[in-house]
């Protein structure tokens, strides 16, 4: 093996001679798995890999519950701010995070397999952001008790997505207990009709209690939630709302779009209205999909044109989903050439039409 001096003479610099601060900077570009691997290279690298500066954000964790527990013990501490786990989070592991990570603010949990797997009532009380994605049917309504200002007094951002629709009532009943929320995102696994009588008693407190909301995103399976919010005059009770995203359900309410959207003109601070994905495939067979999509887009634009001039900074209507993004602008967007031509012909001149697609920021 070449000596250190000969390596320098050949233009190479041995990695082991790099100062700790440089290695910390290099390791900061590694993902969680890579940082765990370099920790096994040597004692020095193990100590550097455990530098708190490298563990402010954990966006992936071991898939086995035993490995997850050991990982938390080894790497998570006072510096941890954001933690994301998929599948194998357990109550003991969550207790360990709560004890070892007093500075944690953001928590994301995906792909839970059973309600018995974890008790979320022991989530760290200082969380400001909580994201739960893809959960099974939760039979015990008390499981949702963690969604309260008593248990989570600092919570400002809440995302609940891809939940079994059977839990709609349980989730909605808890939301009024979080009056300090500024960002709320909801989505359920499938479309499910609910009667007005069932929904009114549940949605009315949501419409009146979340007065600090600034961003509201409603996804698949929430069209009746939105409808009941409108019926319960939520526009008069959410004075800070500046952004409203409505996903996936405008094909379900053809003919009622003005009824849904016109009341939004009374939201004093609303600047961004995004309808990023109108589902093409859900329109069924034997339907002139281009014509239906055009009518939906035109109804949306017609409703928005009744808003005060200059109210919206951005109107996005995504007629198809696609990973390609376009620049943020006031526009209607589509990746279908036939629809593009028709939209340019039929929509008001003041609306910019761009070929492209929308992706969530």
């Amino acid at each position: 093996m070449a000596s250190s001096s000969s390596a320098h003479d050949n233009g190479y610099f041995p990695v082991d001679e790099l100062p700790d601060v440089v290695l910390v900077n290099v390791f900061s570009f590694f993902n969680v798995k890579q940082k765990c691997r370099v920790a096994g290279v040597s004692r020095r690298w193990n100590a550097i890999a455990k530098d708190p500066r490298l563990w402010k954000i954990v966006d992936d964790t071991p898939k086995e519950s035993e490995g997850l527990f050991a990982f938390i013990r080894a790497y998570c501490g006072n510096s941890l701010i954001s933690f994301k786990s998929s599948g194998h989070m357990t109550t003991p592991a969550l207790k360990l995070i709560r004890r070892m990570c007093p500075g944690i603010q953001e928590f994301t949990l995906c792909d839970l397999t059973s309600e018995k797997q974890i008790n979320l009532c022991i989530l760290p009380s200082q969380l400001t952001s909580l994201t739960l994605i893809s959960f099974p049917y939760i039979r015990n309504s008390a499981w949702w008790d963690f969604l309260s200002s008593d248990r989570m007094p600092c919570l400002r951002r809440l995302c609940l997505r891809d939940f079994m629709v059977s839990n709609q009532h349980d989730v909605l009943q808890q939301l009024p207990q979080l009056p300090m929320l500024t960002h709320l995102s909801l989505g359920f696994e499938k479309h499910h009709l609910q009667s007005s009588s069932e929904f009114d008693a549940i949605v009315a407190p949501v419409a009146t209690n979340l007065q600090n909301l600034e961003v509201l995103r409603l996804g698949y399976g929430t069209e009746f939630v939105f409808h009941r919010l409108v019926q319960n005059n939520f526009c008069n009770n959410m004075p800070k709302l500046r952004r409203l995203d409505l996903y996936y359900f405008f094909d379900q309410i053809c003919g009622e779009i003005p009824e849904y959207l016109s009341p939004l003109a009374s939201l004093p601070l609303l600047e961004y209205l995004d309808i990023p994905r109108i589902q093409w495939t859900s329109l069924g067979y034997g339907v002139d999909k281009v014509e239906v999509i055009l009518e939906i887009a035109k109804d949306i634009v017609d409703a928005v044109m009744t808003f005060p001039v200059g109210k919206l900074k951005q109107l996005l209507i995504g007629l198809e989903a696609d990973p390609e993004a376009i620049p943020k602008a006031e526009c209607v967007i589509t990746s279908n050439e036939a629809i593009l031509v028709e939209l340019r012909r039929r929509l008001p001149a003041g609306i910019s039409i761009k070929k492209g697609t929308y992706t969530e920021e």
Side-chain angles (χ1 to χ4, degrees), residues 4-5 36 44 76 86 106 108 133 135 150 185 204-205 227 241 266 304 315 326 347 361:
S4 176
S5 60
C36 291
R44 180 185 175 220
C76 299
S86 299
E106 302 172 2
T108 299
I133 301 174
F135 274 33
D150 292 337
S185 178
H227 186 255
L241 196 69
S266 63
V304 170
L315 168 65
I326 65 165
L347 296 183
E361 59 178 22

Side-chain angles (χ1 to χ4, degrees), residues 104 106 118-119 169 178 181 206 304 347 353:
I104 189 171
E106 302 172 2
I118 191 168
N119 175 14
H169 284 100
L178 299 167
L181 282 181
V206 177
V304 170
L347 296 183
I353 314 295

Side-chain angles (χ1 to χ4, degrees), residues 108-339:
T108 299
L109 179 59
C110 309
D111 303 319
L112 193 71
T113 57
S114 166
E115 65 182 287
K116 296 180 180 179
Q117 180 178 333
I118 191 168
N119 175 14
L120 292 184
C121 286
I122 60 172
L123 278 167
S125 60
Q126 73 272 18
L127 288 181
T128 60
S129 176
L130 175 63
T131 299
L132 305 176
I133 301 174
S134 189
F135 274 33
Y137 171 48
I138 309 298
R139 292 171 175 81
N140 179 12
S141 60
W143 190 86
W144 298 97
D145 287 350
F146 67 92
L147 290 176
S148 70
S149 57
D150 292 337
R151 286 191 166 94
M152 310 200 76
C154 302
L155 193 65
R156 298 295 181 268
R157 294 170 178 258
L158 176 64
C159 175
L160 303 174
R161 223 169 60 219
D162 299 334
F163 275 72
M164 293 297 290
V165 75
S166 306
N167 291 124
Q168 231 178 33
H169 284 100
D170 296 332
V171 171
L172 292 171
Q173 284 176 328
Q174 294 298 122
L175 292 181
Q177 299 186 48
L178 299 167
M180 298 308 294
L181 282 181
T182 60
H183 292 63
L184 174 63
S185 178
L186 288 178
F188 297 93
E189 280 194 348
K190 59 183 179 179
H191 174 68
H192 182 66
L193 297 178
Q194 297 278 7
S195 71
S196 298
S197 59
E198 286 181 278
F199 252 48
D200 274 338
I202 296 174
V203 176
V206 177
T208 56
N209 286 29
L210 300 184
Q211 297 184 14
N212 289 294
L213 271 189
E214 298 176 13
V215 176
L216 177 60
R217 290 186 169 103
L218 295 176
Y220 195 50
T222 61
E223 58 269 29
F224 276 80
V225 176
F226 180 56
H227 186 255
R228 302 319 298 170
L229 284 174
V230 171
Q231 294 297 311
N232 282 280
N233 297 315
F234 87 102
C235 296
N236 296 325
N237 296 307
M238 295 184 185
K240 299 180 181 180
L241 196 69
R242 55 180 175 80
R243 181 180 185 129
L244 179 61
D245 290 7
L246 304 170
Y247 288 68
Y248 286 133
F249 59 70
F250 272 72
D251 50 303
Q252 303 282 348
I253 59 170
C254 294
E256 303 176 72
I257 290 173
E259 179 185 348
Y260 277 69
L261 295 186
S262 295
L264 303 182
S266 63
L267 287 165
L269 299 183
L270 186 68
E271 294 181 332
Y272 302 92
L273 176 59
D274 290 0
I275 305 167
R277 297 181 180 95
I278 298 174
Q279 284 191 303
W280 179 275
T281 55
S282 66
L283 296 176
Y285 297 101
V287 176
D288 186 342
K289 295 180 180 180
V290 171
E291 186 63 28
V292 173
I293 290 284
L294 280 169
E295 288 304 314
I296 291 173
K298 189 174 187 306
D299 284 350
I300 292 171
V301 172
D302 285 347
V304 170
M305 294 296 281
T306 65
F307 288 13
V309 175
K311 180 177 182 61
L312 289 182
K313 290 183 178 178
Q314 173 177 290
L315 168 65
L316 288 175
I317 306 175
L319 303 180
E320 293 178 314
D322 193 280
E324 180 186 3
I326 65 165
K328 291 286 187 181
E330 182 173 331
C331 60
V332 178
I333 58 177
T334 176
S335 58
N336 183 287
E337 190 66 36
I339 293 179

Side-chain angles (χ1 to χ4, degrees), residues 28 30-32 35 51-61 71 75-77 79-84 104 106 108:
S28 69
F30 294 171
N31 61 33
V32 168
K35 283 186 278 192
D51 189 294
R53 289 170 289 183
L54 297 175
W55 299 101
K56 292 182 179 181
I57 298 175
V58 173
D59 56 8
D60 191 20
T61 55
F71 169 84
Y75 297 104
C76 299
S79 64
L80 184 70
I81 295 174
S82 178
F83 188 92
K84 178 180 179 181
I104 189 171
E106 302 172 2
T108 299

